[in-house]
Amino acid sequence: MSESITPRILSIKNKLAYLKLMAALVRNLNYKETNEMIIETKAFFDTSSQIDIANKIDHIELNIEEMIGPILQRFPPKVSIANIATIFNNAYLENDQLFETGLTIGFLDNLMDLSAFKWYSDMPYQYRIAIGAHKGNGGIEEDFLLKDAFVFYAKAQRAYRQLLSHFDKLSKQGINISHPNYHDAYKGLVDLKYEVATYCRLTVISFFSFIESFVNSIGHNYILRFKSILTDKEILTLRGMHRDKEGSYLNLKQKIEKIHQIIRSDKKQIINLTDIAQQKEPFKTFFDYYEALRNASVHFSPEKENIWLGPEEWITKANSFCDLALKVGLEIWVACYPNSDGPAYLGKLNKEIHLKIAEKRLANIDVLK
């Protein structure tokens, strides 16, 4: 093949790789049709004669330029098309499940200006953006856990309302301990009480898990974005490890206390948790009571916090801990990012927003029953 055509073919193939990536990301680009065109074009170059390629290359080049021109304007690249093609192709070679796992927003942000996507600017580097058939979606682990917590919370509230309704129904029917149907009715009440306790326990466990995941995510994001300017000790701390002993992990209190000092530009300590005298709300109640309740719910022993509670007590604790965990999460975020009023990618930890999402999810499932 002539030397004049070979570089043009390579350039076209790079543009095709770029086009495949963008078709996998951008909603108004048909991925299936675009991918079929890419496969056909590559096959043409690989199997056709030099004369056929020479006759058609101008037309092919013009068509591809017309396709990618508007895309380049919407999403200005930060590196060359050739670099984008190489990086994307290598990522695909390293992970053949890429179209199932998606791409991290940090990976994409290094390649192009993402502002046209209108994604939240505070999304962690490791937030995964779906590509291909699932494009338009995305997710990250702390968001899953937050959704879990609110679904359990919504189910606990639903079960408690059902319990109160059942009590009211029995009362109106005059069913008391001397009534012949009392034992059958009471059996149903016991099941409902267990239901309330179950979902309340899971609410506490899930909100606590969310906070742990959220703190870890904040640290991991900062490492990925600023690794080049961080010391080895800072990286260990952001990973949740003791600075002087790799493999020895910080507890949640220590992580919250240390991580925000690294991330803040002024390096000030805003949250003090290891000095009991300086502990403040909402952290004091979060750790003094609810950490013990969570631990007892996960691995109970008779010497730990009591989890044998009535439905009224459990629903009160679920209500309180939902509010408390959101306040804790918000204070941790603001301690790290004092100019922010909350993580936009998590709905700024707004209870009303997340509860509506959970209730809608449950209602959608009810329709399928």
Side-chain angles (χ1 to χ4, degrees):
M1 189 167 293
S2 70
E3 292 182 3
S4 62
I5 290 181
T6 301
R8 292 176 69 188
I9 293 174
L10 179 60
S11 175
I12 289 171
K13 286 186 175 181
N14 284 335
K15 290 171 183 175
L16 290 175
Y18 168 77
L19 190 58
K20 180 173 183 176
L21 169 61
M22 299 312 294
L25 278 170
V26 182
R27 283 189 174 185
N28 61 353
L29 288 178
N30 188 301
Y31 176 75
K32 184 178 179 182
E33 291 179 3
T34 303
N35 196 43
E36 287 174 355
M37 181 275 291
I38 290 169
I39 292 171
E40 290 173 6
T41 305
K42 286 183 176 179
F44 171 76
F45 285 132
D46 292 340
T47 60
S48 298
S49 68
Q50 183 175 348
I51 295 174
D52 286 341
I53 292 174
N55 288 335
K56 293 185 179 181
I57 194 167
D58 288 344
H59 177 70
I60 292 171
E61 211 165 26
L62 181 61
N63 283 345
I64 292 172
E65 288 291 343
E66 288 178 350
M67 290 181 72
I68 70 172
I71 303 171
L72 291 172
Q73 288 184 344
R74 284 186 65 198
F75 310 99
K78 295 180 179 179
V79 297
S80 69
I81 297 299
N83 279 345
I84 293 176
T86 300
I87 293 168
F88 179 58
N89 285 334
N90 288 342
Y92 188 75
L93 288 172
E94 292 171 6
N95 179 11
D96 58 3
Q97 301 297 311
L98 202 63
F99 280 78
E100 281 73 41
T101 61
L103 295 166
T104 66
I105 197 167
F107 174 91
L108 295 168
D109 188 48
N110 288 330
L111 303 181
M112 68 193 75
D113 184 334
L114 302 175
S115 56
F117 281 114
K118 302 193 184 304
W119 290 328
Y120 297 115
S121 61
D122 60 12
M123 279 178 170
Y125 188 105
Q126 67 272 18
Y127 191 102
R128 290 202 165 270
I129 302 297
I131 59 176
H134 305 290
K135 63 182 172 181
N137 298 311
I140 192 167
E141 288 76 3
E142 62 262 31
D143 187 38
F144 302 156
L145 293 173
L146 186 60
K147 284 181 169 64
D148 288 350
F150 269 100
V151 165
F152 289 134
Y153 180 53
K155 285 187 173 185
Q157 290 185 319
R158 178 189 282 191
Y160 188 66
R161 288 194 298 268
Q162 190 177 357
L163 177 65
L164 295 180
S165 176
H166 198 58
F167 263 124
D168 186 56
K169 181 180 177 181
L170 294 179
S171 177
K172 289 179 179 178
Q173 291 176 349
I175 298 178
N176 53 36
I177 195 167
S178 60
H179 195 282
N181 294 332
Y182 174 77
H183 291 289
D184 290 337
Y186 184 75
K187 182 180 179 181
L189 285 174
V190 169
D191 290 337
L192 267 176
K193 288 179 179 181
Y194 274 125
E195 192 85 344
V196 173
T198 296
Y199 287 125
C200 287
R201 276 194 295 272
L202 290 171
T203 296
V204 171
I205 292 169
S206 297
F207 271 115
F208 204 97
S209 297
F210 159 70
I211 292 297
E212 290 181 308
S213 176
F214 184 49
V215 172
N216 292 337
S217 178
I218 290 172
H220 189 62
N221 167 66
Y222 201 76
I223 292 172
L224 293 176
R225 292 192 184 278
F226 303 104
K227 190 172 183 178
S228 62
I229 63 171
L230 293 170
T231 66
D232 291 342
K233 287 184 176 181
E234 286 175 328
I235 290 172
L236 274 177
T237 299
L238 290 166
R239 284 178 175 161
M241 298 177 180
H242 284 286
R243 295 183 179 186
D244 57 347
K245 191 164 47 172
E246 188 168 356
S248 177
Y249 290 90
L250 302 170
N251 61 38
L252 182 56
K253 284 183 182 179
Q254 293 168 326
K255 281 191 281 190
I256 293 170
E257 197 173 74
K258 293 176 181 294
I259 285 175
H260 81 273
Q261 294 180 69
I262 296 173
I263 294 174
R264 290 178 64 91
S265 58
D266 60 13
K267 307 303 177 186
K268 287 183 178 179
Q269 182 176 358
I270 304 300
I271 302 171
N272 192 317
L273 301 176
T274 52
D275 182 351
I276 296 176
Q278 295 189 60
Q279 274 192 21
K280 297 179 180 179
E281 296 295 355
F283 295 97
K284 184 172 176 56
T285 302
F286 182 89
F287 284 107
D288 286 358
Y289 178 72
Y290 281 100
E291 183 178 32
L293 183 62
R294 174 260 194 180
N295 290 342
S297 297
V298 173
H299 33 72
F300 180 77
S301 83
E303 296 181 353
K304 291 187 177 181
E305 188 65 39
N306 180 33
I307 61 170
W308 193 313
L309 306 171
E312 295 85 1
E313 290 178 279
W314 265 122
I315 199 68
T316 298
K317 295 189 185 308
N319 288 331
S320 297
F321 194 59
C322 172
D323 294 338
L324 191 70
L326 295 176
K327 287 179 182 177
V328 164
L330 193 58
E331 292 216 12
I332 292 168
W333 179 268
V334 174
C336 294
Y337 306 106
N339 295 323
S340 171
D341 60 351
Y345 80 99
L346 293 175
K348 298 193 176 182
L349 300 182
N350 183 289
K351 179 180 179 179
E352 184 178 346
I353 290 173
H354 286 286
L355 189 54
K356 282 182 179 179
I357 292 171
E359 289 171 343
K360 183 177 180 181
R361 176 175 160 184
L362 295 178
N364 290 339
I365 293 171
D366 287 340
V367 171
L368 299 176
K369 290 180 180 178

